[in-house]
């Protein structure tokens, strides 16, 4: 909430602890907002993050967009466009369609981020988080405002997608776009969000890997080639690595909130191994392409980010270390998409 006490709010019970010097500290229990929409979290979970006393600033809203995740939207469009140049032949480049595909991908990514903020916030899941405070869960913005922004970005994605369909005349892609928006919402929204059932990586792989990359190629040239499919698998795995390291950081708070991510299901040790597999397999794919596209060898410079990320995740003991690994992995996704996409196109 923005300011002051909430009207008509039930009086919260106080938990009292006595310190060594005899002073007593009090801390309210219970989530900032009551659980809604089939909350799998505990309704009376204690807040661990600092409460906000003022309205959300522009910086808060920018932080809520989670800009570090945007490379996951840009990279598949780069790869799909590069593959389209290969499939379409020399001189064929549909830059308008490529830009529309980029607008769809970026808007969907931002919409997902705000929708997650809203859904996790009203469920009480973010009461346990150890990372940066969220708009809803941290009390910086009203849930309705966050939901409105999420829906606005979904709307932008829908409009850009509709224009792309009109330009390309592939009308059946309307169904794919609608499915992508529905999947984005039910990741953490609805009564039984699949992100709480360990299926988040599957969603990311399918929609931010296969659909985004292959779809970008198809709307430009009306066909899909091996370059598109294999690079879609590669960038999908890197996107899964980003989600895995994020969820690895949040294993304990997610357990406390009743959120069963893949990292929670398989545990910290296995999650570290899976993260490294997700992040390294794409370079086997890049090595295959380097046999046919000499410039693809430049993709291996991205290992300068990937290998430190793997080392950090393998040895990390604090959330701060894992956040650094997340940033490195996101940047690696962008550079992988740029280098391999250009290798196809040039």
């Amino acid at each position: 909430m923005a300011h002051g006490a909430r009207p008509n709010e039930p009086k919260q019970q106080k938990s009292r602890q006595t310190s060594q010097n005899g002073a007593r500290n009090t801390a309210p229990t219970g989530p900032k907002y009551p659980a809604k929409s089939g909350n799998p979290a505990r309704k009376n979970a204690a807040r661990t993050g600092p409460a906000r006393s003022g309205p959300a600033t522009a910086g808060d809203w920018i932080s809520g967009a989670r800009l570090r995740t945007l490379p996951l939207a840009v990279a598949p469009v780069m790869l799909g466009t590069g593959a389209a140049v290969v499939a379409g032949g020399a001189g064929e480049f549909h830059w308008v369609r490529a830009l529309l595909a980029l607008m769809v991908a970026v808007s969907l990514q931002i919409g997902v981020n705000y929708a997650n903020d809203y859904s996790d916030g009203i469920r009480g899941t973010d009461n346990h988080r150890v990372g940066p405070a969220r708009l809803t869960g941290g009390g910086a913005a009203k849930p309705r405002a966050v939901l409105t922004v999420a829906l606005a970005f979904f709307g932008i994605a829908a409009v850009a997608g509709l224009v792309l369909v009109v330009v390309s005349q592939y009308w059946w892609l309307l169904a794919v776009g609608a499915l992508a928006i529905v999947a984005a919402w039910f990741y953490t929204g609805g009564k039984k969000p699949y992100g709480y059932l360990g299926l988040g990586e599957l969603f990311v792989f399918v929609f931010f890997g296969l659909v985004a990359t292959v779809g970008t190629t198809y709307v430009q040239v009306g066909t899909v080639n091996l370059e598109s499919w294999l690079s879609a698998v590669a960038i999908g795995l890197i996107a899964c690595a980003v989600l895995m390291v994020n969820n690895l950081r949040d294993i304990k708070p997610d357990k406390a909130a009743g959120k069963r991510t893949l990292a929670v299901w398989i545990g910290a040790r296995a999650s570290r191994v899976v993260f490294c597999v997700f992040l390294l397999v794409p370079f086997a794919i890049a090595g295959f392409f380097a046999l046919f596209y000499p410039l693809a060898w430049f993709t291996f410079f991205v290992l300068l980010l990937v290998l430190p990320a793997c080392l950090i995740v393998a040895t990390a003991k604090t959330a701060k270390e894992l956040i650094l690994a997340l940033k490195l992995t996101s940047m690696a996704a962008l550079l992988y998409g740029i280098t391999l996409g250009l290798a196809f196109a040039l």
Side-chain angles (χ1 to χ4, degrees), residues 46 76 78 110 116 119 146 194 252 256 264 327-328 339 342:
M78 294 292 296
I110 297 176
N116 290 352
S119 296
V146 179
Y194 60 85
K252 289 184 179 179
V264 170
K327 293 178 180 178
L328 291 174
T339 53
L342 288 176

Side-chain angles (χ1 to χ4, degrees), residues 127-248:
N127 296 339
H128 303 269
R129 66 177 288 104
V130 295
R134 297 302 184 207
L135 289 164
T136 307
K142 294 181 179 180
R144 184 178 296 276
V146 179
L147 176 60
T148 299
V149 173
L151 295 178
F153 277 100
F154 285 149
I156 293 172
V159 171
L162 179 59
V163 174
L164 184 56
V165 168
V166 172
V167 170
S168 66
Q169 294 294 296
Y170 299 127
W171 297 98
W172 61 273
L173 289 176
L174 287 174
V176 177
L179 182 61
I181 292 176
V182 170
W185 172 254
F186 284 102
Y187 174 53
T188 56
K191 292 184 178 181
K192 294 183 178 180
Y194 60 85
Y196 281 65
L197 302 175
L199 299 175
E201 282 77 6
L202 179 61
F203 160 79
V204 166
F205 180 78
V206 170
F207 287 96
F208 286 93
L210 301 182
V211 173
T213 308
V214 173
T216 297
T217 302
Y218 187 83
V219 296
Q220 293 187 57
V221 293
T223 187
V224 180
N225 51 15
L226 184 63
E227 288 80 0
S228 184
W229 281 114
L230 287 183
S231 61
V233 171
I235 200 61
L237 290 174
I238 297 177
C240 288
V242 171
L243 182 59
M244 177 59 74
V245 69
N246 182 75
N247 291 340
L248 174 61

